């Protein structure tokens, strides 16, 4: 569920934060910008779901967006050092 995904994202975010000094600063800036865009999409999806909680489309959209965030964090955590 979303709780497991949230835990995974927190762990991946911690791994990224721990490696921040080893990564190219421009790469980190791009990753951070992409995460802000994804977080905004997640917020918008949750707001829409609050109004229409049974929407399969909105639930699928939220799931896809959470998967994108997890994928980005995973890729960022595995980037080679600068």
């Amino acid at each position: 569920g979303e709780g497991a995904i949230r835990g995974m994202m927190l762990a991946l975010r911690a791994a990224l934060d721990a490696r921040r000094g080893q990564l190219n600063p421009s790469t980190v800036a791009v990753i951070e910008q992409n995460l802000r865009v994804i977080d905004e999409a997640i917020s918008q999806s949750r707001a829409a779901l609050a109004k229409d909680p049974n929407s399969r489309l909105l639930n699928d959209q939220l799931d896809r967006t959470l998967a994108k965030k997890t994928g980005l964090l995973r890729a960022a955590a595995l980037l080679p050092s600068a």
Side-chain angles (χ1 to χ4, degrees), residues 18-71:
R19 298 196 56 234
R20 183 177 298 278
Q22 302 167 1
L23 299 173
N24 182 305
S26 348
T27 301
V28 173
V30 170
I31 291 166
E32 292 295 342
Q33 175 60 32
N34 288 338
L35 287 171
R36 282 191 292 277
V37 169
I38 291 170
D39 285 341
E40 179 60 27
I42 290 170
S43 293
Q44 290 175 6
S45 292
R46 287 187 173 137
L49 273 168
K51 296 175 183 172
D52 188 4
N54 296 318
S55 170
R56 175 185 247 144
L57 174 69
L58 293 173
N59 277 293
D60 288 348
Q61 180 179 341
L62 178 59
D63 289 345
R64 283 191 307 275
T65 307
L66 290 169
K68 282 182 186 178
K69 183 173 182 178
T70 303

